[in-house]
Amino acid sequence: MKTITAEAIHNRLPQETIRQGSLFGALSDDCINFVLEEGRILELAEGEKVFDSGDKGDAFFVVLEGSLSFVKLHHGQLYNTRDISFGEEVGFVAMIALHDHAGYAIANCDTRVLEITSDLFARIHENYPFDFGVITLNLARDMARNIRKLSNALVKNAIKY
């Protein structure tokens, strides 16, 4: 895993493309630039972990290129609970709940992610209050979609009474 610059991402992804990601939808150019400049952009090779189970949940990660899988350990078994693609995040639930990560996120291919720490999240709130509201709505919408997918999977695999 190595860190790359915001400039390297901007050379690969124009602002209009970045804005198409679910987290970045409807954000101002200034806020997007702030987050890319102040966040840490990580480049992962296939099979590298962004975080591991039990790591402190003090940040979340947005996929800029590539994809991740979230894998949870339960009763000695590993379960891939979801895949995360462009513009989607992983780790927000642990960060906002003040929990350690309950699983690990692993790159499915060469992948670039933006790390948004709890400190950076607070600074977005301070410097871009309107955009912070938009980001919060975008995160809530993505969580709701994930809850729907997981509840559908539970129903599909449930034992009927």
Side-chain angles (χ1 to χ4, degrees), residues 32-78:
I32 290 172
N33 291 333
F34 176 79
V35 172
L36 291 174
E37 290 290 333
E38 297 297 317
R40 190 168 63 135
I41 302 170
L42 304 171
E43 192 169 62
L44 300 104
E46 181 178 354
E48 278 190 281
K49 291 180 182 176
V50 179
F51 58 78
D52 210 342
S53 182
D55 286 353
K56 188 173 180 180
D58 57 358
F60 65 96
F61 301 84
V62 183
V63 173
L64 298 173
E65 294 181 299
S67 69
L68 302 169
S69 287
F70 182 75
V71 179
K72 186 168 180 153
L73 177 65
H74 184 72
H75 296 299
Q77 298 287 332
L78 294 173

Side-chain angles (χ1 to χ4, degrees), residues 132-152:
F132 181 81
V134 172
I135 288 172
T136 303
L137 287 172
N138 291 345
L139 287 164
R141 185 178 305 112
D142 282 350
M143 279 196 310
R145 289 175 181 153
N146 287 325
I147 290 168
R148 170 73 54 98
K149 286 178 191 174
L150 290 172
S151 67
N152 287 345

Side-chain angles (χ1 to χ4, degrees), residues 9 12-13 62-67 86 109-113:
I9 284 298
R12 298 172 69 93
L13 296 171
V62 183
V63 173
L64 298 173
E65 294 181 299
S67 69
F86 170 70
C109 56
D110 290 347
T111 300
R112 284 154 206 88
V113 298

